[in-house]
Every structure is written in structure tokens, then in C-alpha cells.
Amino acid sequence: MIKVLDFDGLAPEMFLNRDIRAEEDVCAAVDAVIAEVRAGGDAALRACTRRFDGVETDALQVTEAELDAAMSRVSRSFLETLGEAAENIRRFHARQRHGDFILADRPGVVMGQRWTPIEKVGVCVPRSPEAFPSTVLMNVIPARIAGVERVFLATPPGKDGGISPEALAAARIAGADAVFKIGGAQAVAALAYGTESVPRVDKIVGPGGVFVATAKRRVFGQVDIDMIAGPSEILVLADEKSDPGWVAADLLSQAEHDVLASPVLVTDSRELAESVQRELERQLESLPRRDVAHRAVEDNGKILVTDSLDKAVEAVNRIAPEHLELCVDDPFALLPRIRNAGSVFLGRSTPEALGDYFAGPNHTLPTSGTARFSSPLGVDDFMKRSSFLYYNRPALSACADKIADFARREGLEAHARSALSRKEG
């Protein structure tokens, strides 16, 4: 049964499952896989797929014929849903694009900033039990809006050696350039260093388990990465008017992801806390992924009772959850007070699942308290900034002495001479 605790007096480490450190044996295993793929290329990828996924595969890349077949196997109604979700995601992320700027407000001086897209991006898509079409849309579409030239997907094959038709349909709708039947640390290694079949990319994004997360950490520097994702989290802030059945359902929507997931309710109503506690037990009985969700609830779930909504908001900001639901009468009044959250779901009719699949904001979010300093995946993650500047000779001459003085105070005479050599007269 989920634990009901008083918020006051709890240490921060009691709030959520926040340990995302890889154990030494995981790091060693990941390092061995990376080394194997770097040395063996495609042959190593096939060996890893056989060893870790139990699948023999010759062709690592999904063919156009397989993509065509997938489109024909997916129901028309779900294709329409994928198309509508993709359009919602495009509309939201299109507003994130930044413009370049130029400053030319001084004689002889021009400077500014320009945004350019990353050239090649790899997207890792987990399989649990099938590759997630929602993750395909959420990662590929912002990259396309940013102007990324080539986007490659990597996802582990199923026991039949294929990828789910829904995920392949999403890949085509989102505009992925290629899909590879590889997963785990070996996919990260292939994307980071390249093989005969898999192109080397400049950035790797997408969620995954501890092996993917550890591999992304290991290859950072060779490539950029989006984030190191920990277990999924939901925090529901609810008052006494909230429906305990709805609250319990929302908590379970994250608990069913993973035994390490953290479902948390913060409320100022002990009556609601006890009602949700009972509802969780009742709803768990009929949940298909009951065993996974039950362990997440038992091990990591918590109901924190506060003495006011003000204290509940304090709890939110201290926890910095991945997903935050504000189940209160006026959620917009609370929103300005929320400083730390990956994505905020406002009101009693906005379940977290809406954001997972359909609404438009990205579902790749900071976990493990990193919402204190990081953001959801977006168009910016697929772009980079460059500054530029131009001085004509008179403009440089006017400040050359100051530059030289600055450089000499740092012990860098060549810097000083470089500026002074262009000084007029």
C-alpha cells in the first residue's frame, strides 16, 4: 500500500526515487559494448542484438518495403490519430524557433548572433514492450522544425526481428530519414562512432533504461546528448474537491512505466489522501501491468499531506517533478508560483497522458530533480548559436589600447600586439 506521510520534517531524499547513478558493473558492461561496436562495426551490432534481444538479423536498417508494409498494417483511425498528434506537436514547437539578430548601432561595428541547425541527429526509442510511436513523434518533429538535415532512429527489434508498425508509421509521418533495428548501449555507440551501416551523428536524444543512459553519459563529448533521464515521475497536487479515482488513475499512468517510477500525491486533505490510497489498491487489481505498477507504488509511491496549499506548492518546488498536475479550482493562479517542473498540467480535466501522446508540448522531460535547472526537449536542443562581429580599422584603432591593456594584465603579450598591430598611425 502507498505510504501516507506528513510533508513537514521530511528530508528531500525521501520525496522521490532520485538515484540514477549507474553501478560499476553497468558502467563496465556499457564500456565493453561501446568498445566492441567501435572495433567490430555492423558485425558487433548483430552480435549484440543476438545476445541482448535474442534476435538474429542480417539487415540492420528498415527497408522502404517494410515501411510501406507498416503503413498498410496500421488502422486508418490510428493513422489519423498519429497525423493529428503530429500536427499538434508541430504547431507547438514551431513557436519555439529563435530569430537571428544584428547590432549595428556604432560606427564601423557590426555584430550579432545566428542560429544554425545540427546536421545529423540520432534518436533512441525504447521498446517496452513495443517501440513507442509517441517518442518517435516527440523527438523527430522538433529536429525537423529546427532544420536538422538527417534524423536517424534506433530502436531494438521484437522477437520477430521487426519494429512495430505503429512506430514505423510514426517515423514516416514525423519525417525520419532511416530506422535501424538496434537498441541499448550498442545503438548509442553506433550513432556516436558510426559503423558500415549506421551514420555517425552529432547529437543523440531520446529516453532509455540504465544501459542507454549510461552509454549516453559515456559518449558525451564525442557527441552531444539531450539529458540523462532517470525513472519516470508524476506529482499530482490535489485539493479536497478532486476525484480520488481520477487522481489514482493518473498516479498509475506513470507507475505502470517501470518498477522504479515515482507516483506522488501532494494534498492538503487527509481525507483525499486516504481515499486515493484505497482507490490505488482497487484500480491496481485490474491493471494489465499490475506487477510493475504495484512495485512502483509500494517502493517509490508517496502521499504527502500538507497543512495548506501554500505548503503543497513549496513541496512541488522542492521536489522539482518531471510531470506536475495541478488539480485545483484555479490552477492558473498557482502556475506563476511553480518554479521547478518539467511540464505542468492545469486543472482536473488535463491528465498527464494528454501530454504523453497528443496535446503538443514535448514529453521528453527533465527527471530526478533536474527540472531545477533544465528544460523539456525542444527545437533549441537541435540548434546551436554562433556569434559574429566586424570592426573596421578606425573602430578597432579606437579601442586597441584598451584591448592591449586588458591582454597584458592577463599576461598575454601576443594578444596585445595583435590588436596594436592594426592601430592606425
Side-chain angles (χ1 to χ4, degrees):
M1 181 176 290
I2 195 169
K3 297 174 282 292
V4 178
L5 305 168
D6 288 319
F7 171 70
D8 285 339
L10 285 179
E13 60 268 19
M14 290 291 295
F15 296 152
L16 294 180
N17 177 22
R18 286 285 164 78
D19 189 357
I20 61 171
R21 295 169 300 174
E23 300 295 336
E24 287 186 9
D25 55 347
V26 172
C27 291
V30 166
D31 288 344
V33 168
I34 292 173
E36 181 180 357
V37 172
R38 292 188 69 181
D42 284 358
L45 290 176
R46 293 188 185 96
C48 287
T49 300
R50 181 167 56 251
R51 188 161 73 245
F52 299 127
D53 301 304
V55 177
E56 293 282 354
T57 181
D58 291 325
L60 296 173
Q61 184 174 341
V62 174
T63 65
E64 283 298 315
E66 289 176 292
L67 285 164
D68 291 339
M71 294 295 287
S72 66
R73 289 171 59 192
V74 177
S75 68
R76 180 175 296 277
S77 63
F78 188 63
L79 285 176
E80 291 174 354
T81 297
L82 281 175
E84 190 173 350
E87 181 56 27
N88 291 341
I89 295 166
R90 288 189 187 99
R91 288 178 65 249
F92 181 85
H93 288 79
R95 298 296 297 272
Q96 295 180 339
R97 293 202 65 165
H98 289 279
D100 299 344
F101 69 81
I102 294 177
L103 291 174
D105 54 352
R106 289 177 288 168
V109 177
V110 179
M111 63 182 69
Q113 179 175 280
R114 59 190 296 264
W115 291 81
T116 55
I118 293 170
E119 291 184 22
K120 292 181 290 183
V121 168
V123 178
C124 293
V125 180
R127 177 172 57 83
S128 178
E130 299 291 350
F132 297 156
S134 58
T135 299
V136 174
L137 298 180
M138 293 287 182
N139 285 265
V140 176
I141 290 173
R144 284 304 187 203
I145 291 171
V148 174
E149 291 182 12
R150 303 281 284 169
V151 182
F152 305 106
L153 289 180
T155 189
K159 295 302 181 184
D160 63 354
I163 308 299
S164 77
E166 290 81 6
L168 292 181
R172 176 162 282 181
I173 288 169
D177 290 291
V179 181
F180 295 96
K181 304 173 188 177
I182 49 174
Q186 63 269 27
V188 175
L191 291 166
Y193 295 101
T195 71
E196 300 93 325
S197 298
V198 182
R200 181 180 62 82
V201 301
D202 303 304
K203 183 164 187 170
I204 299 173
V205 302
V210 65
F211 287 93
V212 168
T214 302
K216 287 168 69 177
R217 191 191 300 273
R218 293 306 226 202
V219 302
F220 176 65
Q222 170 69 23
V223 294
D224 190 18
I225 60 173
D226 53 348
M227 62 185 75
I228 303 295
S232 187
E233 308 166 356
I234 185 171
L235 190 156
V236 179
L237 187 160
D239 61 18
E240 74 283 354
K241 298 179 184 177
S242 298
D243 186 313
W246 293 2
V247 172
D250 293 353
L251 293 173
L252 291 175
S253 73
Q254 291 306 292
E256 72 175 352
H257 267 301
D258 186 341
V259 296
L260 298 177
S262 294
V264 174
L265 167 64
V266 176
T267 180
D268 60 350
S269 168
R270 186 165 292 276
E271 181 180 352
L272 179 71
E274 293 171 353
S275 296
V276 170
Q277 190 180 44
R278 292 189 295 269
E279 270 293 319
L280 284 168
E281 294 298 309
R282 185 186 69 79
Q283 293 185 28
L284 271 168
E285 292 302 317
S286 60
L287 201 64
R289 289 174 63 83
R290 179 188 181 280
D291 290 345
V292 170
H294 184 265
R295 274 197 60 189
V297 169
E298 286 282 324
D299 294 348
N300 310 309
K302 294 176 182 65
I303 298 176
L304 304 180
V305 180
T306 66
D307 57 14
S308 68
L309 278 182
D310 287 339
K311 279 283 189 180
V313 171
E314 178 187 334
V316 167
N317 286 323
R318 288 176 64 183
I319 293 170
E322 177 188 16
H323 306 97
L324 169 64
E325 292 186 9
L326 298 180
C327 298
V328 296
D329 282 341
D330 188 1
F332 288 95
L334 289 186
L335 182 60
R337 299 170 58 192
I338 302 300
R339 299 191 306 276
N340 303 323
S343 188
V344 184
F345 302 80
L346 300 167
R348 306 185 208 278
S349 299
T350 313
E352 184 275 334
L354 180 66
D356 270 351
Y357 300 112
F358 197 73
N362 211 282
H363 78 194
T364 303
L365 304 169
T367 63
S368 306
T370 59
R372 292 178 295 110
F373 52 79
S374 58
S375 308
L377 189 75
V379 172
D380 284 359
D381 292 286
F382 300 100
M383 303 191 76
K384 47 195 170 58
R385 300 186 308 274
S386 298
S387 58
F388 59 87
L389 63 157
Y390 163 83
Y391 274 51
N392 65 15
R393 195 171 178 190
L396 176 63
S397 296
C399 61
D401 289 335
K402 295 176 182 178
I403 296 168
D405 181 44
F406 219 135
R408 286 166 174 156
R409 290 175 187 274
E410 294 188 351
L412 299 172
E413 179 62 24
H415 282 65
R417 295 178 184 180
S418 173
L420 292 173
S421 66
R422 292 169 170 81
K423 184 178 178 182
E424 292 182 319

